[in-house]
Amino acid sequence: MSTAITLRITRRAADRLRAGHLWVYRTDLESKQAVAAPEPGSLVTIVDSREISLGTALYSSASAIAARLISRSPQLSRAQYLADVRTRVDAALQLRRELAPISATNNAHRLIFSEADNLPGIIADRYNDLVLLQLLTQGTAQDDVRAVLVAAVSAAFAHEKTALTIWERPDPRIRELEQLPAPAPGPLFTTHIDSIAPEGLSFRTGAERDTDQAAPIMTRFTLNGLHFHYDAASGQKTGAFLDQRLNYAAAAHVVKASGRTGRALDICTYHGGFALHLAQVCSQITGVDTSHAALEAADRNLSLNPTLTAEAEWMEADAFDYLRHLDDTARKTSSPGDRFDAIVLDPPAFAKSKRAAESALRGYKELNLRALRLLAPGGTLITNSCSHHVSLQDFTEIIASAAVDANRRVQLIETRAAAPDHPEVLTLPETRYLKCLICRVD
């Protein structure tokens, strides 16, 4: 069945889609449309004010993003959309085999990155033998999409002859915004119960998934040769920040090359990604996070890597409060022993909307100013932003401003982004979100 409903959008929105963007905001819809409201999650044809078609989109009745373009062809049927999903998933998996191949030292990566893989509303991450799936829209959180995804991913793992369990893990905030029902309990697929069947025959319905008590929910995975514990039932989003994989290794490399390898501080350490990598080259690490559970996970990850001999300390504290305390103490004592050889700043997204960008920049300024004051001469600052509303230029300028205020000379050693399994699409600025600056501070 083809799409029967059309949505007419403003000229400005049409120009944005023609320039390569994929989102239609609710404010982009022309107010006077003589059509019934589309069904939640249905396929709709997008037209401009002259009734010229711009393609087919997935409609949401609840989100501020009213429609996400999934094809430049109009009136796509659901069957055609599902066929496109399978083709695009296969292409996404092939890209990961090329750019982030599984090996003994790296067996975790992002398999599907939503709009960046031309699969709006779908994210999948791999942690060794577990795959975590997020279906983020009314049009994708449906059993026919689940079946296609299970077929494609299970076929890829069958080729590797590797065990596999697929769990669906919704983002609670997105689920609320999209008014999505909770997924059925149990895995979508597991080789611990079934043999792998082709073309989605092993997709499990809610009733069948209730019986899958033996399916694993925990595993261990490796990043850059370091071991990490993974629990699909805890943590943020799908559970770990795989986008920082190459930045972890680059930070350790630059710190080692600096010769300043004494004390390292990792602010917003979460599960210890940067901290454990710096523990390979530094003699002492301190990881700070507001989450006690995250710090417990970081300490457990440390225990999985007995070859790391650095002295480790985990502090449950607010990033701003902790740095303010250290900065105030150091300025009172003026003791060189209070300085750090490396500091990582990896806070959560400060700007979740354009309106929050100005406030976010103030937050970045304060964190980086205090970190710069706390660094020893010749030390390394690894500073990150994952707010796509804060551009690389704005982020770089705020670090420069902090350097002036701290009276420190800062050399930019590397400007980095997300690992290639999180590709950027040049016409979709939302996919260009992670900024990582590695700096030498005199």
Side-chain angles (χ1 to χ4, degrees):
M1 182 178 177
S2 62
T3 55
I5 293 181
T6 63
L7 291 182
R8 190 166 60 247
I9 62 175
T10 64
R11 179 177 178 179
R12 181 178 180 182
D15 289 343
R16 189 171 65 246
L17 293 189
R18 289 191 174 100
H21 210 277
L22 299 178
W23 292 355
V24 175
Y25 296 96
R26 201 157 299 279
T27 54
D28 293 330
L29 301 178
E30 288 200 349
S31 56
K32 295 180 180 179
Q33 301 200 49
V35 296
E39 290 293 320
S42 62
L43 293 170
V44 295
T45 294
I46 305 298
V47 299
D48 65 12
S49 57
R50 296 172 293 171
E51 301 291 332
I52 297 174
S53 172
L54 297 166
T56 302
L58 290 170
Y59 177 76
S60 170
S61 62
S63 173
I65 303 173
R68 297 170 190 255
L69 206 67
I70 48 93
S71 175
R72 298 288 170 176
S73 300
Q75 298 186 348
L76 209 67
S77 70
R78 187 76 184 179
Q80 289 171 318
Y81 165 61
L82 294 174
D84 284 348
V85 168
R86 178 57 192 260
T87 299
R88 294 169 187 179
V89 170
D90 288 342
L93 299 181
Q94 178 58 33
L95 181 67
R96 274 61 181 186
R97 284 190 285 268
E98 296 168 3
L99 299 181
I102 294 299
S103 67
T105 55
N106 284 290
N107 63 3
H109 57 206
R110 175 148 289 183
L111 297 174
I112 302 169
F113 190 23
S114 196
E115 281 83 357
D117 286 305
N118 208 13
L119 289 161
I122 302 173
I123 288 177
D125 285 340
R126 173 179 183 168
Y127 301 93
N128 192 11
D129 56 343
L130 299 186
V131 168
L132 274 294
L133 182 65
Q134 286 189 318
L135 302 176
L136 304 172
T137 69
Q138 294 174 348
T140 57
Q142 299 190 24
D143 277 350
D144 55 2
V145 175
R146 292 183 179 98
V148 171
L149 292 168
V150 166
V153 175
S154 63
F157 274 68
H159 179 73
E160 292 182 16
K161 298 181 179 179
T162 303
L164 168 66
T165 298
I166 303 175
W167 293 94
E168 183 177 352
R169 182 177 180 183
D171 182 309
R173 177 175 172 271
I174 298 298
R175 199 178 91 188
E176 181 180 356
L177 291 175
E178 285 277 337
Q179 298 178 0
L180 301 175
L188 290 170
F189 174 92
T190 178
T191 56
H192 289 259
I193 305 296
D194 300 318
S195 60
I196 296 177
E199 297 307 315
L201 297 180
S202 52
F203 170 68
R204 304 177 69 77
T205 65
E208 294 170 319
R209 289 161 68 182
D210 284 337
T211 66
D212 288 338
Q213 299 299 319
I217 200 167
M218 294 185 289
T219 191
R220 293 181 181 181
F221 66 95
T222 58
L223 291 180
N224 307 315
L226 292 176
H227 304 291
F228 294 83
H229 176 79
Y230 180 72
D231 184 348
S234 66
Q236 299 178 21
K237 297 186 178 179
T238 65
F241 295 113
L242 300 177
D243 49 3
Q244 291 279 27
R245 175 174 55 90
L246 297 183
N247 299 337
Y248 292 151
H253 174 77
V254 172
V255 170
K256 182 179 181 180
S258 74
R260 303 286 316 206
T261 56
R263 301 173 69 206
L265 176 63
D266 182 11
I267 298 294
C268 302
T269 189
Y270 190 48
H271 288 179
F274 276 108
L276 267 61
H277 281 78
L278 292 182
Q280 295 175 305
V281 299
C282 294
S283 59
Q284 181 181 342
I285 59 166
T286 300
V288 179
D289 205 281
T290 58
S291 168
H292 183 74
L295 294 175
E296 288 182 329
D299 193 53
R300 185 163 58 248
N301 289 336
L302 179 64
S303 68
L304 293 178
N305 297 276
T307 59
L308 299 178
T309 59
E311 178 185 345
E313 178 184 30
W314 308 109
M315 297 293 298
E316 184 178 347
D318 175 80
F320 290 93
D321 293 342
Y322 188 78
L323 284 176
R324 188 180 302 115
H325 168 72
L326 290 181
D327 185 22
D328 291 345
T329 301
R331 286 197 286 173
K332 287 176 182 177
T333 62
S334 300
S335 171
D338 294 329
R339 300 288 186 94
F340 291 88
D341 295 304
I343 296 180
V344 176
L345 302 175
D346 191 18
F350 285 162
K352 295 186 178 180
S353 67
K354 288 184 178 180
R355 287 180 294 181
E358 184 176 347
S359 176
L361 290 173
R362 289 195 296 270
Y364 287 127
K365 172 72 175 288
E366 180 178 349
L367 288 181
N368 283 275
L369 173 61
R370 295 188 185 279
L372 288 169
R373 288 173 177 163
L374 289 166
L375 277 164
T380 305
L381 174 67
I382 303 102
T383 183
N384 301 270
S385 167
C386 59
S387 301
H388 82 260
H389 292 291
V390 174
S391 69
L392 174 60
Q393 180 179 345
D394 288 343
F395 186 58
T396 305
E397 288 177 355
I398 213 69
I399 308 306
S401 177
V404 171
D405 289 355
N407 196 27
R408 304 300 296 269
R409 178 175 176 267
V410 177
Q411 293 175 301
L412 180 60
I413 306 299
E414 291 190 48
T415 300
R416 305 185 61 86
D421 50 318
H422 293 66
E424 298 178 1
V425 177
L426 294 181
T427 55
L428 290 171
E430 290 80 6
T431 64
R432 196 179 311 128
Y433 67 100
L434 181 60
K435 283 79 62 178
C436 175
L437 305 185
I438 303 180
C439 306
R440 183 69 45 79
V441 179
D442 293 337

